[in-house]
Amino acid sequence: QEALALDFRLAGDLDRLRLLDFSDIARATPGLVVSGGSPTTMGFSVRGITQNSGDATREPRVSVFQDGVSASRARGAYFELFDLERVEVARGPQSTLFGRSAMTGAVNVIQRKPSLAGTTWQVTAAGGEADGHLVEGVANVAWTDTAARLAFRSRRWNGDVANALGPRADSDATDALRGSL
């Protein structure tokens, strides 16, 4: 088995690269291609080998995991990337580490866990063209031997492609909330 192709472990790497979605991970990872007609039908390819099928009876060639839970089916492999601890991209057969559906590779996304180090919070916001905005926030509350973490993201972009039937064809509107104890 090959070693990890890419392992973003340092918070500085994640912040510097601004990994907003899986396409951003693919741009930073040699041999990984992420494509799809919409966020609900993503296709993952490692070194040119892929299986972009939504058929429930077919095993995917590239496994996708979020905090150890498989999200490998094409219809469920897309989720928001925010409040990340690290992202691991493994190429080559990874059946030993990730199961039989990782015949050509795996993408493992690990979220930050609650910390007992203290109470902290942070909110960031950015605006852009086409009425776009990105708002992210996280709050970590620690007391005695327990901690809780709440993270959120709201992302909007009105797109560039005109659509006579309604909103612009490449618009993006995503809201995500995650809590952990």
Side-chain angles (χ1 to χ4, degrees), residues 14-15 17-25 39 66 78-85 87 109 111-112 122-126 133-139 150-157 172-179:
L14 293 173
D15 293 339
L17 293 172
R18 292 295 300 156
L19 301 176
L20 296 177
D21 57 28
F22 284 104
S23 298
D24 293 335
I25 292 174
Q66 181 179 20
Y78 180 85
F79 46 87
E80 284 295 304
L81 301 177
F82 63 104
D83 195 32
L84 299 177
E85 179 180 317
V87 177
V109 177
Q111 314 289 342
R112 285 192 180 124
Q122 177 181 353
V123 175
T124 58
H133 77 263
L134 173 67
V135 179
E136 295 179 318
V138 62
L150 183 67
F152 73 91
R153 172 188 272 180
S154 176
R155 185 166 48 133
R156 300 281 186 277
W157 186 65
D172 189 15
T174 307
D175 294 314
L177 176 69
R178 181 180 59 254

Side-chain angles (χ1 to χ4, degrees), residues 94-137:
Q94 297 296 325
S95 300
T96 304
L97 296 174
F98 297 104
R100 68 180 184 179
S101 64
M103 292 305 294
T104 60
V107 178
N108 191 16
V109 177
I110 294 97
Q111 314 289 342
R112 285 192 180 124
K113 309 298 184 270
S115 171
L116 291 172
T119 299
T120 60
W121 63 275
Q122 177 181 353
V123 175
T124 58
E129 59 188 35
D131 296 326
H133 77 263
L134 173 67
V135 179
E136 295 179 318

Side-chain angles (χ1 to χ4, degrees), residues 49-70:
I49 301 171
T50 188
Q51 178 179 328
N52 193 9
S53 171
D55 187 358
T57 62
R58 299 182 78 179
E59 291 288 331
R61 297 287 186 209
V62 179
S63 287
V64 178
F65 291 87
Q66 181 179 20
D67 287 331
V69 177
S70 177

